[in-house]
């Protein structure tokens, strides 16, 4: 429906809508501990299927045939993905794969600890980093950002957007634990906001890994 509207929002805005859909999709199973392993397994299957699709696209490119899949992907591409084979070159689309994998990074990190001394917010942090904090930074920065950051990874990151990342992360941590944020949360949220501002291509990968390492 979003893709076929006559007056469609910009690509970045449409992609953030999928971040919200990802939040609705993954929050229920991550909130139910027995469902976390099968959710992680399902994501692994999805990553394999997505990788096969990219292999199929590359086969079409090598054979000189029309890339029908790439034509669909192109509706959602931005500078992070390339141009989908335009200009005589092949561009693999990895954003959909990293978005699919990011929500379960925290759950996998929590499982790796064996449940011992793991932060109760840890299983949700991959979801928080990409679907909440990153989206909040993009929405607030796009709507109200006026002060550019000196280090912005080559993008248009702003102080207002990074403040939104910081605030959203703190709020989610407090909600996950049903308590006030700690000093460690303040430092971790600041680090996450700084890294989000300094990365432009692989933030869907980097942000969940930072969370998993910092709060494990």
């Amino acid at each position: 429906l979003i893709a076929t509207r006559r007056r469609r929002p910009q690509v970045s805005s449409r992609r953030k809508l999928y971040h919200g859909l990802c939040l609705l999709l993954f929050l229920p199973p991550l909130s139910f501990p027995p469902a976390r392993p099968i959710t992680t397994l399902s994501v692994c299957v999805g990553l394999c299927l997505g990788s096969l699709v990219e292999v199929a696209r590359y086969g079409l490119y090598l054979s000189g045939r029309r890339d029908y899949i790439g034509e669909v992907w192109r509706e959602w591409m931005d500078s992070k993905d390339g141009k989908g084979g335009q200009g005589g070159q092949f561009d693999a689309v990895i954003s959909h794969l990293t978005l699919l994998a990011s929500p379960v990074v925290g759950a996998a990190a929590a499982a790796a600890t064996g449940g011992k001394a793991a932060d109760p917010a840890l299983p949700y942090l991959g979801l928080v980093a990409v679907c909440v904090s990153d989206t909040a930074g993009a929405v607030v920065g796009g709507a109200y950002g006026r002060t550019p950051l000196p280090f912005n990874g080559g993008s248009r990151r702003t102080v207002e957007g990074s403040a939104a990342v910081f605030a959203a992360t703190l709020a989610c941590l407090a909600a996950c634990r049903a308590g006030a944020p700690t000093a460690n949360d303040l430092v971790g949220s600041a680090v996450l906001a700084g890294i989000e501002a300094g990365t432009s291509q692989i933030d869907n990968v980097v942000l969940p890994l930072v969370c998993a390492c910092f709060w494990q």
Side-chain angles (χ1 to χ4, degrees):
L1 291 177
I2 298 169
T4 54
R5 286 179 56 187
R6 183 171 296 178
R7 294 184 63 185
R8 293 176 295 177
Q10 294 181 350
V11 172
S12 59
S13 300
R14 295 189 316 225
R15 287 163 66 112
K16 294 308 176 185
L17 292 175
Y18 273 88
H19 283 226
L21 179 62
C22 192
L23 177 65
L24 296 176
L25 179 66
F26 282 97
L27 185 58
L30 291 180
S31 301
F32 185 56
R36 291 171 187 168
I38 189 65
T39 302
T40 304
L41 178 61
S42 300
V43 167
C44 292
V45 173
L47 290 175
C48 292
L49 293 176
S51 299
L52 288 175
V53 169
E54 291 306 306
V55 171
R57 288 188 57 230
Y58 190 58
L60 292 173
Y61 167 73
L62 291 178
S63 63
R65 298 178 182 176
R66 184 176 178 181
D67 183 4
Y68 293 96
I69 304 172
E71 291 176 3
V72 175
W73 280 178
R74 199 169 297 127
E75 290 288 339
W76 309 96
M77 288 183 183
D78 61 9
S79 58
K80 296 181 180 180
D81 292 314
K83 299 181 180 179
Q86 294 179 352
Q89 64 179 9
F90 175 79
D91 296 295
V93 185
I94 62 170
S95 293
H96 59 299
L97 298 178
T98 56
L99 178 60
L100 178 63
S102 58
V104 299
V105 170
T113 66
K116 298 179 180 179
D119 191 310
L122 181 58
Y124 306 97
L125 288 180
L127 197 64
V128 167
V130 173
C131 297
V132 180
S133 300
D134 184 44
T135 301
V139 171
V140 173
Y144 305 104
R146 299 292 183 271
T147 311
L149 289 167
F151 59 96
N152 54 18
S155 63
R156 293 178 294 179
R157 307 293 169 87
T158 62
V159 172
E160 293 82 1
S162 294
V165 173
F166 176 79
T169 305
L170 278 183
C172 289
L173 287 168
C176 290
R177 302 198 196 99
T182 64
N184 186 64
D185 294 339
L186 293 171
V187 175
S189 298
V191 170
L192 187 70
I195 292 177
E196 190 275 338
T199 56
S200 60
Q201 297 293 331
I202 53 173
D203 50 352
N204 284 359
V205 177
V206 172
L207 298 183
L209 292 177
V210 169
C211 286
C213 294
F214 199 91
W215 278 280
Q216 186 166 351

